[in-house]
Amino acid sequence: MSPKELLEKYKSGEISLTEALEQFPDRGIEEMGFATIDTDRFSRTGLPEVIYASGKTVEQVSLIAERMYQKGIDVLATRATPEMFEAVKKRIPGAHYNKLAQTITYKQSHTPNTKGYIAIVAAGTSDLPVAEEAMETAQFLGNRVEKVYDVGVAGIHRLFHRLELIRNARVIIVVAGMEGALASVVGGLVDKPVIGVPTSIGYGANFEGLSALLSMLNSCASGVSVVNIDNGFGAACQASLINKL
Amino acid sequence: MSPKELLEKYKSGEISLTEALEQFPDRGIEEMGFATIDTDRFSRTGLPEVIYASGKTVEQVSLIAERMYQKGIDVLATRATPEMFEAVKKRIPGAHYNKLAQTITYKQSHTPNTKGYIAIVAAGTSDLPVAEEAMETAQFLGNRVEKVYDVGVAGIHRLFHRLELIRNARVIIVVAGMEGALASVVGGLVDKPVIGVPTSIGYGANFEGLSALLSMLNSCASGVSVVNIDNGFGAACQASLINKL
Amino acid sequence: MSPKELLEKYKSGEISLTEALEQFPDRGIEEMGFATIDTDRFSRTGLPEVIYASGKTVEQVSLIAERMYQKGIDVLATRATPEMFEAVKKRIPGAHYNKLAQTITYKQSHTPNTKGYIAIVAAGTSDLPVAEEAMETAQFLGNRVEKVYDVGVAGIHRLFHRLELIRNARVIIVVAGMEGALASVVGGLVDKPVIGVPTSIGYGANFEGLSALLSMLNSCASGVSVVNIDNGFGAACQASLINKL
Amino acid sequence: MSPKELLEKYKSGEISLTEALEQFPDRGIEEMGFATIDTDRFSRTGLPEVIYASGKTVEQVSLIAERMYQKGIDVLATRATPEMFEAVKKRIPGAHYNKLAQTITYKQSHTPNTKGYIAIVAAGTSDLPVAEEAMETAQFLGNRVEKVYDVGVAGIHRLFHRLELIRNARVIIVVAGMEGALASVVGGLVDKPVIGVPTSIGYGANFEGLSALLSMLNSCASGVSVVNIDNGFGAACQASLINKL
Amino acid sequence: MSPKELLEKYKSGEISLTEALEQFPDRGIEEMGFATIDTDRFSRTGLPEVIYASGKTVEQVSLIAERMYQKGIDVLATRATPEMFEAVKKRIPGAHYNKLAQTITYKQSHTPNTKGYIAIVAAGTSDLPVAEEAMETAQFLGNRVEKVYDVGVAGIHRLFHRLELIRNARVIIVVAGMEGALASVVGGLVDKPVIGVPTSIGYGANFEGLSALLSMLNSCASGVSVVNIDNGFGAACQASLINKL
Amino acid sequence: MSPKELLEKYKSGEISLTEALEQFPDRGIEEMGFATIDTDRFSRTGLPEVIYASGKTVEQVSLIAERMYQKGIDVLATRATPEMFEAVKKRIPGAHYNKLAQTITYKQSHTPNTKGYIAIVAAGTSDLPVAEEAMETAQFLGNRVEKVYDVGVAGIHRLFHRLELIRNARVIIVVAGMEGALASVVGGLVDKPVIGVPTSIGYGANFEGLSALLSMLNSCASGVSVVNIDNGFGAACQASLINKL
Amino acid sequence: MSPKELLEKYKSGEISLTEALEQFPDRGIEEMGFATIDTDRFSRTGLPEVIYASGKTVEQVSLIAERMYQKGIDVLATRATPEMFEAVKKRIPGAHYNKLAQTITYKQSHTPNTKGYIAIVAAGTSDLPVAEEAMETAQFLGNRVEKVYDVGVAGIHRLFHRLELIRNARVIIVVAGMEGALASVVGGLVDKPVIGVPTSIGYGANFEGLSALLSMLNSCASGVSVVNIDNGFGAACQASLINKL
Amino acid sequence: MSPKELLEKYKSGEISLTEALEQFPDRGIEEMGFATIDTDRFSRTGLPEVIYASGKTVEQVSLIAERMYQKGIDVLATRATPEMFEAVKKRIPGAHYNKLAQTITYKQSHTPNTKGYIAIVAAGTSDLPVAEEAMETAQFLGNRVEKVYDVGVAGIHRLFHRLELIRNARVIIVVAGMEGALASVVGGLVDKPVIGVPTSIGYGANFEGLSALLSMLNSCASGVSVVNIDNGFGAACQASLINKL
């Protein structure tokens, strides 16, 4: 059936939407059997296909990374173990590993960084793995980043001291565990969008990050939105979309 | 069995603890069939017997209040409906009702208030029913109270503006719903014990106060403890014990 | 103490941060006893003080609205009952009520709307109260809005049909209950930030919006962030900050 | 752009998938502003568009029902109040209301019922509202139904007594609250697919149906799948798809 | 097929268990369409069929009660509204209603009460509806009952004072809300089985009885078992089985 | 007692149901002390007895497998560790292990596969362990299977591309973690029953699969039912019963 | 103060209850600094002091065991690791370890077993660790035990086959994971008290035993009570108290 | 801008609060890149900066400890592993490790202990790690401590025996897992503030400490507040603030 016939039959009701959709050519797909790489993602969503390594075998991660590398796609793998990095490195010698962030990166393209920057504000040193995941992702996506670490509300003057740097960002990522109050406090002091990342850091009743998650979702400061627990990657993705507006 | 025999038999092992205990005379008990008033509570715990009206019938509340009144015990009923107040008033003409706090009070004794005071800090106007319950209870227990209302972290300068009053208290009650961040922020700015009262105020994922509860339990400021959701009464009880040390 | 002395003593360590803070003059505060209006909020955060009517009495809402009106501040009250509107209307004759959204608005200032627009996409007709709250808030904040209603994934062609309108927005709010899949699907098709608003609509195991909340937080599409359940207001606030970048 | 050009540009990479999708003609859509009826749903999924009345206003329900009626689409509304039925009846005189099931139905088409039947098995009389919703839906979709009510495991011989009728069905819906054990027991006695519907019936720790939901999801009998709490409608939909294979 | 053939065919493998079971005659069943009364339950389990009125219509409750009455079966309905009682009374003039317990009872048989007794211990006056449901059920089942009300651990001497009465019971039901500590304390003082009934009484974080439920399940005293939240009926059933051993 | 007497006594009321049941001969049982193999299960439910290895010792698994093997029953063990496989292999040399799926299989019977097939659709590569468990089980039960892997909604054109294969199945299993939106999207595009399997894959707030579970239970597409988290086995069992109708 | 004075002063109100209590001699206590052995427990509650090894160090467990051994108290340690057993064995050569049950036992006293017995019914082989803990405890407490293992409802005839043995017990412990339906089914077939023990066995949404716990708490059969998840020990304690009535 | 100008501009409205705050000099801050030590904390809150080691790397912990040591600040690290202690010891030879409490302490200052003392009451030996964390923290903060261990309510006479010591404290910390009833019982017997610390000790349905947490929050004795699960540190902090009033 020619494309023209296809859409005309759909319009006339001869074929249904699902029948029309299943005739679509397979552009933007790289088939690997156990994986189906979405090569079209960047042009469609402004964010490239990324390898979420958790739950995948070492072999799967390194094979997907290699295929992307061969296709000329920049590689970012999150939640990657040192063992995975070793396997990837054999296939992509220039790959880089951030141990704290658990990220593997390899960039072939050379896009200049944005002029405006993303501020990444972290409440405590224990939150750094998540903050660093956000930082690696944001830089991978071509954003300038400024880091403001260990400025939780227990010593709020530490935050005030860096407030200028935070306020001048185009978008702010706040990473905090425990009660996650930092997101609300920052949200009440700036006129830029704040993206909260709750972390799973804290004593028992933080329930693996639930306390900070609920806290940030209930922020009394109104310009705050939230991503998944420990999801520095997701926060950086949205921050990048905003920063590039 | 004489008291002496009782304890000697217990010591020798002839009777067990439970057997010894069940011989105890019934001092400090006022039997009403459906209720057993603990007339000894004040001398034992520094806090009097109080009527928790929720789940009781109008008749039960007014009968218990009347009996306490007749015994010369000061009356405090929490979570009392206007209908309950009408019934109590018929039996205790001088009783007082705080509609916002839902408390009935009647005080026969005339103890002067404490010199030091309890600061009651509330994040928003929607939290006032709980803050007022705390205030009524604290005053009923003979404490001087200072109120600092609607100073949530979305506009943190409102808090700074009243900080002196808060810091000079002997103990501070922080009442907040939503993300309850106010408890941590206050906790990081004062050198007095802070008692957090999470409230059930907020959008959907506050889950009837769970967000503020978990938030306060996970406070990164370390001098903060917490009572039950919406439990202004309990916070005032502990604050009173502390204030009277 | 003069301002100069104040900061110098702080710098030298003679007085602590909290002591310094408590000397701050009370600019940006309108005291009402039961409420402390944050008149400085707009210049500080780009978002004005707003009345969250839930948990407040009819009288409190109308008094706060009146005071803001007198001060020349634009009035937005969310979660307002018809009874509250009646009381406000007596004090502010030109106030407007959106029954579905449960919002009261009154605008004295006449700022022109933004050029770029916010798309508000709702999965089903049952989600409209939340979508309309977002719409009212976004317009109150001076944003142009486009509405795309009832395009849930059970009939995904309805979404495709409006995709152009959605893609051309600067920021997209997706309102959905039940499984909230619409946020992920939209997130996978556009290159703009998506803010998900889970709603409490659905059969039993939606647990008052928990299903859609978790769903959106776990979006496999990476440019999605989330606000509280049924919180159309909060989504519009962040969208407005983004739209005005 | 002609359909042919459209798909060719997509194939060549000139336009992206989203751009291609947004050119699709709007077949299968009935626009109502607050609702977007999916007129194509039956041909696509074997199940027609249905009105989920919960969260909709009386006016919205009756307008959608009327529009479907005018288009010659059979009408089924679930979770409909008597008030909604009164409004619908004015527009569709032949509409029928099942008070227990809370369903409004109106059928213009006259498809004969299936030969094989769906057995609807309910544990207790308190589960009947859900069982009846399933029954109304299944019949609306053209299925023969057999009802086996009040045969919970506390008196398991009641189940044995009707076992033949159950075993001869092509698919079985088991509706049960409390501990929902009936789904497992039936699942262990038949060789047909069992669809469990947990209900919100029971003492406190059933947590609005959570107990029966978890119970059925954990069935030790392996041919059991589950739909949402109290979702008799959804169970009947899947049962109908199975029965018509 | 004759009974003999039936079992022989089953034994030889000619027919399966389910096929054998479905041939069973319908003894012990009273069919009512919307209900299937288990007339055999008492002889099988020592506990009669009982009407759980919650979720049933007034008509259903009164019809089931009437049918049992006509069959000479004693009637107990739990969670019955006053309206239900009015309807039942028209059909069974001698029926009795306990308003606090929400139970309807009618006893035709005249079995003498047991010699040993069940102690029902309640922590507070607010727990009485549940305690009374247990009491009505236990007496209906022919047990002697002793009540010990309002002896929660906040005034533990009230418990000691009645300890002898509690220790001499054959089995003890402890009804408590809030933190439910009374079950553990009683469990540590007696050498009889303790059945805990958590109630939904308490401030916010009791989460409809969850706090007392978890508390009792985690009792550090080891002779304690638990029934559902607010389930005085279930506790009395098991206590009766134990008391009659 | 002869079978005939047995049933006659039951019918006359001389013996109760439980007394009748306990006279049943022990057909369909293979006693092993620590295990009681249900040799009758296949003829009764269309699904054979299967070894759920989790929580069993290596020795228990291998002994049960051996006994089944000796009885001529096909062996399927799920959640089996490599160590368990080593032990089984010593007893059943031809046994096969799927490392990703963690299944041990051994088939003695040679039933031809079904004509119609089950489509197994997985959202991401991290979901493969569950998808493979479903595949192994479905094939073990004699079904033809088609696999469609890594087609999650973040790149929805990957799904469209394989839609024809999915639509032509008789029943479809959708395996997805994170937000599990794939089940709803597939459910809205096909006219066959969809069985959702939520997986425990995802960032923090997936809460071990809860997000995908709730998501699938709340599917706005109505022909979707759900099995337990990560339960590929259960999904394949029900799919097999449906496929064989 | 003499015992007589003590109680008289208490009666007259001169001293409070707490003051009276703190004068009690220290009978029934064995002080070890990190532990305070309750040597009086057996005479008071009918159940001896037992070592709950979880959370204790190897050294603490062996020291407590040794002290009890020296005092002539029978030793039972639950949740004991093999390493703990090695340490205990050095101090108590005759100690016995049940690896599946994780219990250490040493009995010096020689009480004959009870005439009546406790039936321990387990749904699956994976539930045996808990069932064996119950068995070891029950025997340690001097009860005769009958075991009925792997008779879950997926093959309900296995249960019927052993029904006589179960019905003749004085009390029945039902151990089951997954959906825990066995407790309800047994409860509906016997006239003896049933104690349910939910186990943490099952696929994902059993949530560490929550599914079986809620299931058993919601049993539609009314003579069932429940103990903590995996708490075979607690079930045996209560069963022993009942069996010895 | 001079300090004077700063505050005057703020007062006049020329600059906003955030602009004023960001001009603050950086007193009380020790920058380390990955950490920002709050050197001002003790003078501000009465509690020093402490290292929460969980989630930090060994290197981070030892570097922060060293920097504090060099600045003359006393060092307390909680949740520290033996490996961390080894690293710290190399930098601070006099550091001390409490293995049970998992704390590292080093004190340079020599403040005399308080006259009044904090009583630390623990329910069981398994709760000692938390109790010891509280003890180490309280002593580090200069408080006298009395320990009362293993006095849970299963053997309540053990508590009575030590009641005098407990009542004479100025503030009482109660550490308990399982059902946490000890907090309520102590709260009902003393007239001093009680701080409850729920622990994660117990069988399955303690849900990592949730049972004791909810139990303590719902204490029927009113002078009880609560800190996070297993948070001995936080309890000691608040107790210290109270003890020093």
Side-chain angles (χ1 to χ4, degrees), chain D residues 171-175 180-198 212-227 238 242, chain F residues 45 47 195-197 225-228 231 233-242, chain G residues 153-154 179:
Chain D
V171 52
I172 299 149
I173 293 172
V174 175
V175 180
L182 190 60
S184 296
V185 171
V186 170
L189 291 171
V190 304
D191 57 358
K192 299 292 166 30
V194 171
I195 301 170
V197 191
L213 171 64
L214 292 184
S215 197
M216 290 179 178
L217 284 168
N218 284 281
S219 171
C220 59
S222 31
V224 178
S225 70
V226 186
V227 295
Q238 198 183 48
I242 296 173
Chain F
T45 68
L47 301 167
I195 301 170
V197 191
S225 69
V226 187
V227 296
N228 207 338
N231 190 358
F233 165 72
C237 285
Q238 198 183 48
S240 179
L241 290 179
I242 295 173
Chain G
V153 302
E179 93 288 60

Side-chain angles (χ1 to χ4, degrees), chain C residues 106-147:
Chain C
Y106 180 75
K107 241 186 137 166
Q108 317 192 40
S109 63
H110 291 281
T111 45
N113 272 358
T114 53
K115 270 183 66 175
Y117 63 86
I118 298 169
I120 300 179
V121 184
T125 301
S126 300
D127 300 315
L128 289 202
V130 179
E132 290 282 300
E133 187 187 79
M135 183 272 287
E136 287 284 353
T137 303
Q139 290 187 341
F140 179 82
L141 297 172
N143 297 278
R144 191 151 66 88
V145 170
E146 294 288 342
K147 304 196 284 190

Side-chain angles (χ1 to χ4, degrees), chain D residues 39-51:
Chain D
T39 56
D40 183 46
R41 191 168 294 179
F42 184 77
S43 78
R44 194 175 71 247
T45 68
L47 300 167
E49 169 88 89
V50 165
I51 306 168

Side-chain angles (χ1 to χ4, degrees), chain D residues 23-97:
Chain D
Q23 309 296 332
F24 258 64
D26 67 339
R27 210 180 67 78
I29 290 176
E30 182 70 24
E31 270 291 357
M32 296 184 68
F34 63 89
T36 312
I37 305 176
D38 178 359
T39 56
D40 183 46
R41 191 168 294 179
F42 184 77
S43 78
R44 194 175 71 247
T45 68
L47 300 167
E49 169 88 89
V50 165
I51 306 168
Y52 174 62
S54 178
K56 294 191 176 66
T57 64
V58 171
E59 199 190 4
Q60 290 171 338
V61 169
S62 60
L63 285 174
I64 301 174
E66 185 181 40
R67 182 71 68 95
M68 293 173 76
Y69 171 69
Q70 289 165 347
K71 288 270 158 186
I73 305 173
D74 290 344
V75 175
L76 168 59
T78 62
R79 305 292 156 108
T81 61
E83 196 191 356
M84 287 170 177
F85 175 59
E86 289 314 313
V88 169
K89 212 179 173 175
K90 281 180 196 144
R91 289 173 160 94
I92 313 178
H96 171 255
Y97 189 59

Side-chain angles (χ1 to χ4, degrees), chain E residues 152-156 160 177-181 184-185 187-189 201-207 210-211 214-222, chain H residues 152-156 160 178-181 184-185 187-189 201-207 210-211 214-222:
Chain E
V153 302
I156 208 168
F160 294 159
M178 296 184 173
E179 93 287 59
S184 296
V185 171
L189 291 171
I201 289 298
Y203 276 78
N206 91 326
F207 295 123
L210 182 64
S211 59
L214 293 183
S215 197
M216 290 179 177
L217 284 167
N218 283 281
S219 171
C220 59
S222 32
Chain H
V153 302
I156 208 168
F160 295 157
M178 297 184 172
E179 93 288 58
S184 296
V185 171
L189 292 172
I201 289 298
Y203 277 78
N206 91 327
F207 294 122
L210 182 64
S211 59
L214 293 183
S215 196
M216 290 179 178
L217 284 169
N218 284 281
S219 171
C220 59
S222 30

Side-chain angles (χ1 to χ4, degrees), chain C residues 178-179 184 205-206 215 218 220, chain F residues 178-179 184 205-206 215 218 220:
Chain C
M178 297 184 171
E179 93 287 60
S184 296
N206 91 327
S215 197
N218 285 280
C220 59
Chain F
M178 297 184 172
E179 94 287 60
S184 296
N206 90 326
S215 197
N218 283 282
C220 60

